Amino acid sequence: MTDPDAIIRSLADLPKDGDDFPQMGLANVVREYCAATVGLPRLYVFSLKEFREAFGPHWQAVAEGTVLAAERILQGWLGSRDAYSRQGDVSFVTFLAQGRAGEAEQRATTIATDMRDRLLSGQPVTLKGNGVQVKSISLSELVDTAVAHMFERPSAATQAQSQSSEILTRLHQQLSTVYAPVLTLESGMVQGLQSIARRETETGRRSGQWVLNGGYDDPLTVAVDMHSLDALAVQLKNTQPWKERPVFILPLHFRSLLGKNRDRMVAQLQKTAPADRQMELRIELVGVLDNFPLSDLPQTITDLRSVCGGVFIRCLLSHLERIAPHAGRADAIGIDLNDLSRHGVSSEQRLHALQDFANLATVCRGRLPRLRYAWGLRDEEDLKEAAKLKYALVSGFAVDSEGPDARVPYQKSLKGLG
């Protein structure tokens, strides 16, 4: 087997193929399976279990990079009619659309072969499944696998609930919130603060969509949002006597604002930001495409407007066109360059992302809000490009460093910006 450290270094540079982004989340996998009309529908499970077994005690050192790289490879083979969801720590369950009977099985084999080749750099191995196993299952088999352990013994449900509580406790211990100054490019003033959830783990610091293993689609995102609201309440109290109070931009996951979660979250927002402070709050929706119908987005924006001064939507370039018809009620649309890769991106990649996002937002004008923003700017070159492309709000190390507390709004020199 290849040295673990060498694998981590190579996995960080794997490209994302294609722009036709798949649907994410188990709900979408099940929905597409039930709606299939060609042939007998099947689900395909891709497993990296053999990688975990082969690395043994070294697995924790390479687990995160290996699984993230496998997910990017999988995404590159999937289109908007496909769906996938991460299951457990080493598997993905997928629905693969097909135009004729048998096509999905052929696609699954092709994907597994490519995943093996790219993860192992073409090197031969002695593993039974060559590192990546793919299995065809029915929906009933998926359900049986998921719930069987709950019926093995009477205490199973109690144990599962106890484990869930332990996970939440550990998550809260690892979470913290920092604030990044937000620069208004037109005025040159830092007038806002972007709330950023951080998580310290054994494998390093995570933020943005990387805070949780399941990304924005992880069920624990609700717990992350509640933690961010608690931190915001402290900051609002601390800035009470300030003459010039900053605007706080608070990211909330779309999952946290749907179904039963919505009433709970709106009530918590009202408690956190009382009526006389609501205009100082902007809510930023993230993970809009991960697991729920876009038809809920307009009403969600309307509901949030009653408890804050405006609603932003953060998304990736590949999501923009799909979101556009439903995002007209929002106040701003933007991108976080940190969401492009957990391992960071080059200066050239950041500039291209800023340009492509601005160009597509211009094409979609009339359906999207006019105000656009960009987080995660690293240097002066990023700032110049953002100013040239008419981004209104920016944040990142190019503006100033992050900190655990709010700061008084201040003037920022824009000398040298084009």
Side-chain angles (χ1 to χ4, degrees), residues 158-172:
T158 304
Q159 289 179 355
Q161 186 175 6
S162 174
Q163 290 173 354
S164 177
S165 298
E166 289 176 9
I167 291 172
L168 279 172
T169 300
R170 187 164 66 250
L171 175 65
H172 275 275

Side-chain angles (χ1 to χ4, degrees), residues 96-380:
L96 303 176
Q98 59 181 5
R100 53 179 173 77
E103 183 180 353
E105 184 176 359
Q106 294 173 355
R107 291 181 63 197
T109 302
T110 301
I111 292 169
T113 301
D114 183 56
M115 197 178 288
R116 292 185 193 112
D117 290 344
R118 293 170 70 177
L119 290 177
L120 296 167
S121 302
Q123 298 181 29
V125 293
T126 56
L127 301 176
K128 182 180 178 182
N130 290 324
V132 179
Q133 297 173 302
V134 60
K135 181 181 180 181
S136 168
I137 63 172
S138 66
L139 180 59
S140 61
E141 288 174 297
L142 175 66
V143 173
D144 289 342
T145 302
V147 302
H149 71 281
M150 296 297 290
F151 298 95
E152 288 174 358
R153 52 190 181 278
S155 61
T158 304
Q159 289 179 355
Q161 186 175 6
S162 174
Q163 290 173 354
S164 177
S165 298
E166 289 176 9
I167 291 172
L168 279 172
T169 300
R170 187 164 66 250
L171 175 65
H172 275 275
Q173 290 171 345
Q174 294 175 335
L175 280 173
S176 62
T177 302
V178 294
Y179 297 91
V182 175
L183 175 67
T184 303
L185 283 172
E186 185 176 3
S187 68
M189 282 286 291
V190 169
Q191 297 170 309
L193 291 164
Q194 174 202 2
S195 171
I196 302 173
R198 292 269 192 244
R199 184 177 170 212
E200 299 286 346
T201 70
E202 297 80 2
T203 56
R205 175 183 292 174
R206 306 183 187 182
S207 63
Q209 70 165 316
W210 319 108
V211 169
L212 297 169
N213 291 333
Y216 290 145
D217 191 35
D218 197 298
L220 291 179
T221 54
V222 179
V224 174
D225 288 345
M226 285 298 183
H227 185 279
S228 297
L229 280 168
D230 290 341
L232 176 65
V234 174
Q235 297 302 321
L236 287 173
K237 183 178 180 180
N238 291 342
T239 59
Q240 186 79 27
W242 291 8
K243 229 177 179 183
E244 293 183 82
R245 296 171 181 165
V247 170
F248 287 92
I249 301 171
L250 177 70
L252 295 179
H253 300 82
F254 196 37
R255 167 189 285 275
S256 299
L257 294 155
L258 296 173
K260 295 180 180 179
N261 288 329
R262 183 183 300 184
D263 292 341
R264 176 188 175 200
M265 190 61 66
V266 169
Q268 187 64 31
L269 281 164
Q270 291 172 327
K271 181 180 177 181
T272 300
D276 62 329
R277 305 296 299 273
Q278 287 178 358
M279 293 308 296
E280 299 165 37
L281 176 63
R282 304 290 184 273
I283 294 174
E284 180 187 27
L285 288 175
V286 299
V288 171
L289 277 184
D290 282 345
N291 203 21
F292 297 96
L294 282 171
S295 56
D296 286 340
L297 183 57
Q299 187 58 48
T300 300
I301 294 172
T302 299
D303 290 348
L304 289 177
R305 275 246 178 80
S306 66
V307 293
C308 71
V311 179
F312 294 1
I313 295 177
R314 184 203 304 176
C315 67
L316 293 172
L317 174 68
S318 55
H319 295 178
L320 194 56
E321 280 191 285
R322 292 168 63 189
I323 289 175
H326 309 273
R329 297 183 188 179
D331 297 281
I333 190 87
I335 185 173
D336 187 343
L337 301 183
N338 294 315
D339 279 348
L340 300 180
S341 170
R342 184 180 186 276
H343 305 284
V345 291
S346 67
S347 177
E348 184 179 2
Q349 289 172 314
R350 292 198 306 273
L351 294 178
H352 279 308
L354 287 171
Q355 293 162 1
D356 293 343
F357 191 89
N359 291 338
L360 187 53
T362 301
V363 170
C364 295
R365 186 179 297 167
R367 294 183 293 166
L368 290 172
R370 295 178 64 86
L371 192 74
R372 55 176 175 259
Y373 62 91
W375 308 148
L377 274 60
R378 291 275 170 179
D379 51 37
E380 188 175 334

